[in-house]
Amino acid sequence: MNEITKAACIGGGVIGAGWVARLVLNGIDVAIYDPDPEADRKVNEVMANARHAYRQMSPDGLPSEGRITYVGSIAEAVADADLIQESVPERLDLKHKVLAAIDAHARADAIVGSSTSGIKPTDMQPSMSAHPERLVVAHPFNPVYLLPLVEIVGGEKTTPECVDKAKSLYASIGMKPVAIRKEIEAFVGDRLLEAMWREALWLIKDGICTVEELDDIMRYSFGLRWAQMGMFQVYRIAGGEAGMRHFMAQFGPCLSWPWTKLMDVPEFNDELVDLIATQSDEQSGKHSIRELERIRDDNLVAIMGALGKQNGGQGWGAGELQNDYVRRLAGSVKENG
């Protein structure tokens, strides 16, 4: 398995800081370039929550943390890095500028992963005149230091060897890399989330339910099912002994019923923003964002820990992966001790 000795993170916002935390807590040195004068504070706050979560997840100890170094240029950040994670805002012109600088100064064999949530790698590769073949989309989910999935997407100039190497590198830090078979905008995860987000906005706008009621409907029902088995395996069970064929025959006609507004988008105006924001404040306003992050992290650790006890102790789904990850972390402690 390919392993990371040194990494570079370009951008230290919510996603970039999450990458820093996962890498550093795996004992990897990380160089950060972010022109935001508040980057140090923001990364440190994310690191504090990540350490709290990892101590719960791996009570037997963690490997020695990697060093965090803030640098003044992209060139300095990417020097000698095995993995370079780009996490700048979703503007193609900015992506081009940053990726061109990375490409000019990074080692030829370094993998460049973009955290973009929707831009196709082919649209980003024109700025990389030297080695476009090593660019992949490496789209994570927040919090990056806990949620293991990373969608790997290659562009027209990405080589299969670089996709395989990227999968190996991300797996080495406890992630579940899934290579997307065809290059499309927003990949798979965000396309599913966007469909639900649009329907949710209609349900709130039309007064069918509140923000809090919608969240309760998700977290007390299918959210729990999806967390451990996904969509299709859950629906296979719903088909009874006849399995998926029976489920499709029974519920397939619903696709033509007027149940959804998914193909129509509510007008995104100040009225809708105020409605959603006000209800969200009523739901969670008593907690700061950092407090909500800590609550979220504690819940995720507990859920994955519970899944890790299933299947005769071997674990199930994310729990099985977490068991392997915790063993790896504990093994690093013994090796370093």
Side-chain angles (χ1 to χ4, degrees), residues 154-173:
E156 290 178 0
K157 296 182 179 180
T158 308
T159 63
E161 292 77 15
C162 285
V163 170
D164 289 342
K165 184 176 180 180
K167 290 171 63 178
S168 180
L169 289 176
Y170 289 111
S172 76
I173 54 174

Side-chain angles (χ1 to χ4, degrees), residues 67-111:
R67 296 188 305 274
I68 297 177
T69 306
Y70 293 88
V71 298
S73 69
I74 291 175
E76 188 178 357
V78 304
D80 298 324
D82 304 299
L83 175 68
I84 300 155
Q85 194 68 36
E86 171 273 305
S87 304
V88 303
E90 295 286 80
R91 287 178 20 222
L92 187 57
D93 61 332
L94 179 58
K95 299 278 191 189
H96 280 168
K97 180 179 178 181
V98 168
L99 289 170
I102 292 172
D103 193 46
H105 298 285
R107 284 195 341 243
D109 62 340
I111 291 293

Side-chain angles (χ1 to χ4, degrees), residues 40-302:
D40 188 4
R41 175 188 63 81
K42 294 175 182 177
V43 170
N44 283 339
E45 290 179 357
V46 172
M47 284 297 308
N49 274 347
R51 290 187 186 102
H52 170 80
Y54 270 53
R55 290 186 190 113
Q56 293 184 79
M57 185 170 64
S58 183
D60 293 333
L62 297 167
S64 298
E65 288 189 9
R67 296 188 305 274
I68 297 177
T69 306
Y70 293 88
V71 298
S73 69
I74 291 175
E76 188 178 357
V78 304
D80 298 324
D82 304 299
L83 175 68
I84 300 155
Q85 194 68 36
E86 171 273 305
S87 304
V88 303
E90 295 286 80
R91 287 178 20 222
L92 187 57
D93 61 332
L94 179 58
K95 299 278 191 189
H96 280 168
K97 180 179 178 181
V98 168
L99 289 170
I102 292 172
D103 193 46
H105 298 285
R107 284 195 341 243
D109 62 340
I111 291 293
V112 181
S114 175
S115 301
T116 178
S117 58
I119 301 173
K120 294 194 297 184
T122 293
D123 293 336
M124 294 187 284
Q125 285 175 324
S127 62
M128 302 177 71
S129 58
H131 294 287
E133 75 281 352
R134 38 85 172 271
L135 174 71
V136 297
V137 163
H139 174 232
F141 290 80
N142 188 36
V144 182
Y145 51 82
L146 280 182
L147 293 182
L149 180 68
V150 56
E151 293 180 298
I152 306 295
V153 189
E156 290 178 0
K157 296 182 179 180
T158 308
T159 63
E161 292 77 15
C162 285
V163 170
D164 289 342
K165 184 176 180 180
K167 290 171 63 178
S168 180
L169 289 176
Y170 289 111
S172 76
I173 54 174
M175 304 195 81
K176 175 69 173 178
V178 175
I180 305 305
R181 294 171 180 267
K182 294 185 179 180
E183 184 185 18
I184 57 171
E185 292 91 347
F187 328 125
V188 175
D190 278 355
R191 286 199 168 215
L192 293 171
L193 290 173
E194 180 67 15
M196 293 198 66
W197 174 241
R198 290 185 182 188
E199 188 72 4
L201 290 180
W202 276 117
L203 291 166
I204 305 302
K205 181 180 183 299
D206 291 346
I208 307 301
C209 61
T210 67
V211 163
E212 184 170 6
E213 290 163 350
L214 187 142
D215 280 353
D216 283 347
I217 287 167
M218 294 181 72
R219 67 192 184 118
Y220 287 101
S221 62
F222 54 83
L224 292 171
R225 298 190 309 196
W226 287 355
Q228 54 85 37
M229 204 171 273
M231 178 184 289
F232 282 97
Q233 203 164 42
V234 162
Y235 284 167
R236 177 181 179 84
I237 295 170
E241 293 182 1
M244 182 57 79
R245 291 184 183 279
H246 177 68
F247 177 83
M248 294 290 288
Q250 185 174 5
F251 292 99
C254 300
L255 295 173
S256 63
W257 297 351
W259 276 6
T260 181
K261 292 185 176 181
L262 285 177
M263 302 309 294
D264 191 14
V265 183
E267 182 181 356
F268 198 78
N269 53 27
D270 290 343
E271 182 181 0
L272 180 59
V273 171
D274 288 342
L275 177 64
I276 299 292
T278 298
Q279 291 188 9
S280 179
D281 289 343
E282 292 171 354
Q283 177 188 20
S284 304
K286 63 182 178 180
H287 296 294
S288 71
I289 292 298
R290 297 304 179 208
E291 288 171 339
L292 287 172
E293 288 175 343
R294 182 68 64 91
I295 293 167
R296 173 204 64 194
D297 291 356
D298 288 348
N299 291 341
L300 288 172
V301 170

Side-chain angles (χ1 to χ4, degrees), residues 7-24:
C9 287
I10 312 302
V14 173
I15 297 300
W19 279 116
V20 171
R22 180 175 278 272
L23 290 160
V24 167

